Amino acid sequence: MKRSLFFLFFIWATCVASAFSQVGAPTLSPVHVATALNHLTVLEFHEPVMMAAAGSSDFQIERQEDKVFIKPTKSGASTDLFVWTASRRFAYELETTPEVKNMNVSVDNPLPPAPVAPASSGFSANVEELADMMLTRAFLGAVDIAPANARAPKSQVRVRIQQVFRTKTSIYVHYSIENDGRSAYHVTTPDVFELQAGHSTLSLPSFAHKQLDPRLLENLSDIHCVSLPVPHAEAASEDLAPGESTGGVVAIRQNLSSPSVVQLVFDSQVKATFVL
């Protein structure tokens, strides 16, 4: 359980600590980057990229290790892009250009020279203390999700909800996914829905903190699916060979009352439903 909880909040605590460590940095001036349809622009940082966020869906943004890949999907589009690495943050202004010769094929962001260590100000200790407090609350507040039916389906991709941690504004869901099929499976960011049933023969309070199988879902009728915002999601591994498994975290930016039925949809065949 400790290992699962650590995985659930490792990314969260890392991003928070990184953000606080950058407090007091000078205001960023966005770097202009020209892109072109059907072409990739690569941003290189020479250190792990923790997060990348753009203000428009007209650009396909992907990150891998120390690189961010940008591909516009619409002509005439423009937006801002923010990137956080292990030690720095960057701001860019993206636009599309009709002339491929005018685009930026790659933008290199070399590591700065190592600074001379300043006299200790105690700031690092404050950041560690904050991270300790947040992780402590996470360990104490996480709730295990148990399967309502211990029998798992065979010969397919299975998703198991492990833990849920709630704050005043968000819900963090830790899941594991196992490929028990015969072909490789690519783990994508799931769509998340609240299932609001017009009629139910289930006593939902009695199924609180349990994962529901398809048989139990048949007891819900007149279901209305409400899409929930997912600002961030991570998976330890995105490609699973047959027999492999991985873990992931989904952040839901909404606070739901209990009991609520929540469903993670990876594709039409791979889903996981649980009761908060």
Side-chain angles (χ1 to χ4, degrees):
M1 177 177 176
K2 288 184 178 180
R3 181 179 180 182
S4 300
L5 286 171
F6 176 80
F7 178 84
L8 174 60
F9 297 105
F10 172 76
I11 300 167
W12 178 45
T14 300
C15 291
V16 170
S18 177
F20 275 94
S21 68
Q22 295 167 358
V23 171
T27 302
L28 291 178
S29 297
V31 176
H32 178 266
V33 177
T35 65
L37 288 176
N38 302 317
H39 289 74
L40 278 179
T41 294
V42 183
L43 307 181
E44 298 190 65
F45 298 93
H46 304 278
E47 63 177 336
V49 175
M50 309 303 295
M51 187 184 304
S56 171
S57 59
D58 292 335
F59 290 83
Q60 181 179 338
I61 308 296
E62 296 183 5
R63 63 183 178 86
Q64 184 174 357
E65 298 177 352
D66 63 342
K67 298 177 179 62
V68 172
F69 302 93
I70 305 169
K71 182 179 181 182
T73 60
K74 181 179 178 181
S75 62
S78 64
T79 189
D80 52 354
L81 169 68
F82 296 93
V83 178
W84 289 264
T85 66
S87 65
R88 298 174 293 166
R89 57 192 174 115
F90 300 83
Y92 301 91
E93 187 65 32
L94 308 180
E95 71 170 10
T96 55
T97 176
E99 297 291 338
V100 174
K101 65 181 181 180
N102 295 330
M103 71 171 286
N104 295 108
V105 176
S106 65
V107 177
D108 190 44
N109 300 277
L111 289 171
V116 178
S120 176
S121 62
F123 181 76
S124 178
N126 292 337
V127 173
E128 291 182 355
E129 183 178 351
L130 176 61
D132 288 343
M133 179 184 67
M134 296 175 69
L135 282 171
T136 298
R137 291 182 179 179
F139 272 92
L140 294 176
V143 176
D144 289 339
I145 303 297
N149 185 348
R151 297 178 61 185
K154 300 293 184 181
S155 302
Q156 63 186 56
V157 178
R158 300 192 298 268
V159 181
R160 167 85 165 82
I161 305 299
Q162 301 289 349
Q163 287 102 16
V164 171
F165 174 71
R166 305 179 67 169
T167 68
K168 291 182 179 180
T169 60
S170 305
I171 300 170
Y172 298 88
V173 181
H174 173 210
Y175 67 87
S176 60
I177 183 167
E178 180 180 359
N179 183 7
D180 195 34
R182 297 182 177 180
S183 58
Y185 183 79
H186 180 70
V187 182
T188 60
T189 297
D191 295 320
V192 182
F193 301 92
E194 180 188 5
L195 305 187
Q196 298 178 348
H199 178 71
S200 173
T201 58
L202 287 179
S203 174
L204 290 181
S206 65
F207 284 90
H209 306 148
K210 287 184 170 58
Q211 182 171 340
L212 306 180
D213 60 25
R215 179 182 59 82
L216 289 172
L217 283 178
E218 293 176 357
N219 294 279
L220 305 179
S221 58
D222 299 327
I223 296 177
H224 176 56
C225 297
V226 178
S227 180
L228 300 177
V230 179
H232 190 68
E234 291 278 353
S237 177
E238 295 184 348
D239 295 297
L240 300 179
E244 291 184 341
S245 62
T246 190
V249 178
V250 175
I252 305 170
R253 190 71 78 235
Q254 190 158 319
N255 191 12
L256 302 174
S257 59
S258 296
S260 294
V261 181
V262 177
Q263 186 175 72
L264 273 59
V265 179
F266 293 85
D267 58 47
S268 60
Q269 301 298 321
V270 181
K271 306 176 182 179
T273 309
F274 65 97
V275 180
L276 281 175

